[in-house]
Amino acid sequence: MSIGNANVLDELVAIVGRGNVLTRREEQQAYVVDWRDRYHGRALAVVRPQSTEEVARVVRACAAAGVPIVPQGGNTGMCGGATPDDSAREVVLTLTRMNRLRAIDVDNATITVEAGMPLATVQASAAAHGLHFPLSLGSEGSCTIGGNLSTNAGGTAVLRFGNARDLVLGLEVVLADGRVLDALRGLRKDNTGYDLKHLFVGSEGTLGIVTAAVLKLFPAPHVQATAFAGVADVSAAVRLLRDLKQALSDRLVGFELISRFALDLCRRHHPSLPDPVPGHPWYALIQANDSAAQSTLAADLERALLSAAERGLVQDAAVAQSAEQAARMWALRDNISESQRREGPNVKHDIALPVSAIPAFIAEGATRIEQAFPGARLVVFGHLGDGNLHYNVAAPAGTDARAFLANTPAINRIVHDLVSAAGGSISAEHGIGQLKRAELRHYKGAVEIEVMERIKAALDPQGLLNPGKVL
Ligand code: FAD
Ligand code: 2HG
Ligand code: ZN
C-alpha cells in the first residue's frame, strides 16, 4: 500500500470510524462481487458512512487524494455498475447505513427517505400511513431507493405509475467535490430553471451520490385483483393488453409476459409454486388495483377476461381468489431472474420497443438466434405493458453454459440490431454499468454521447465518480 493510500485510509477512518472502513479481502467480499457473480473486483476499502455529512467528507477526502469512488446500494444491479474494478485503488461507498425515514407528509402525499433505505421499507413506511409507494421489483427486499433512482428502475407497475424517475420530487446529492446539492423539495410544480434532479436519476453513480429523496405517494389500493392468462401467441397478449386498458382504465397496474419456457424454469427451481393454467405457450400476469372502497374491479376484470376468451384472445385464465394465491402467481414471475442465475450464466438483454413491435421482434429474434446458434434456449419474459422484454439467451441443453458466453458479442449484435432497426432501446430499465458500455457507443448517436461526456466532465472533472461505468 502506498503512503498516499495509507493517508486517505486514516482520513476515512477518522470520518466514519474504524469499523466502517473495510480493508480485508474477506470482509469486502459481499461488496466487490455482483449478485450474478459476473464481475469480481477488489477495493482499497469499503466505506460505510451514516450521514450526508459523512458522505460529503468521504468524497472530499477521496477527491483530494485522487481516489475513485464506486457508490453502492443493495448491490442487486444487473450491469456491474456497483462493482469496483480489480485494481484495489477504488473505494466502494455503500449507502446502506443511511436508511432513515426523514419525514412523511400525508397531506402532501410525500415521503422523504435516505438513499440506503430498502425499497420494501419505503413501501411499508408509506403503507403504515395509509398511502402507497408503487415502485415494485423482485429485488425490493434488498435494493435501495438510492440504487433505484440511480438506475431509474422500472419493475412491474410502470404501466400505471411510471419509472423511478416519475416518482421522485426532490433529491439531495453529494457532488464530486464534496458539496451537497440540496434539492430536497416536495413540490409537484417547480419551473425554476433546469430540473437538476433528473440529471442524477439514471446516472448510475457517475455524476453524484444520492443521499436522500422526496418521493411521491399515492392512495393505498383498497381492492386488488390478479389473474394469470394463457394465450396462444404474443400478438394475442398485445391485443389483450389493449382490451384490458380499455376495460379497466388506470386501474390496470401491471401486465407481464411470461413464456412457458421461463415459467418451467422458475418452477424447476421453485417446485412448490403453482402452474395456474397449464399447457399454453405464453402467459400474461395481470395486476389491477382500485383505491375506491366501492369497487367493481374483480367483476370488471373477470368480465374482460371472459370477453377476451370468447374472442379467442385468451385460451384459459385463473383469477386469484385470495391474497395468498395472488402472491404465489407473482412469485412465479418474480423468481424467474433468480432461477436463471441458479440455472447458469446466460446472455441477458433488457430491451424496449413500441408494444406494437414486440410480436414481430420475438418471431424474428427466434429465427435469427436459431440460425446462428442452433438449439440456443430463449428465456423471454418481461414488462409487456411497458414494451420492455427480458430477452435472455441460454446455451443449448447439455452444453457448457460458461463457454457459450463467448458468443455474447455475436448474440448482442443479432438482438440489438433488431431492436435498433425497430427504434428501440438496448437498455430499458437496467442501465449500462460496465456490461453495456460498448453497446451504448455502438448504438447511441455521436451527438448524444458528446453531450453526455460534457455533462460528465462538468460535474466530475477529475473522473472519480464510478469510472468505467456508462461512458
Ligand atoms: P446497486 O446495485 O447497489 O447499484 C446500482 C447502480 O446505482 C450502480 O451503478 C451504483 O454505483 C449506483 N448507485 C447505487 N446507489 C447509489 C447512490 N445512493 N447514489 C449514486 N449512485 C448509486 N431492475 C429493474 O429496473 N426492474 C426490475 O423489475 C428488476 N427486477 C429485479 C429482480 C431481481 C430478483 C434482481 C436481483 C434485480 C432486479 N432488478 C430490477 C435490478 C436491480 O434491483 C435494480 O437495478 C435496482 O434499482 C438496483 O438497486 P440497488 O440498491 O441494488 O443498487
Ligand atoms: C425482472 O424483471 C428483472 O425480473 C430481471 O428486471 C430481468 O434477469 C432478468 O433478465
Ligand atoms: Zn425487469
Side-chain angles (χ1 to χ4, degrees), residues 137 154-156 256 333 350 381-383 388-390 429-430:
L137 322 179
T156 51
E256 298 286 309
R333 166 64 186 85
D350 165 38
F381 61 101
H383 317 287
N388 174 194
L389 282 185
H390 300 309
E429 58 172 9
H430 295 160

Side-chain angles (χ1 to χ4, degrees), residues 35 71 73-77 81 139 144 147-148 150-151 153-155 204-205 210 429 466:
W35 77 276
N75 198 14
T76 68
S139 55
T144 63
N148 301 148
S150 301
T151 56
E204 302 181 55
V210 175
E429 58 172 9
N466 220 0

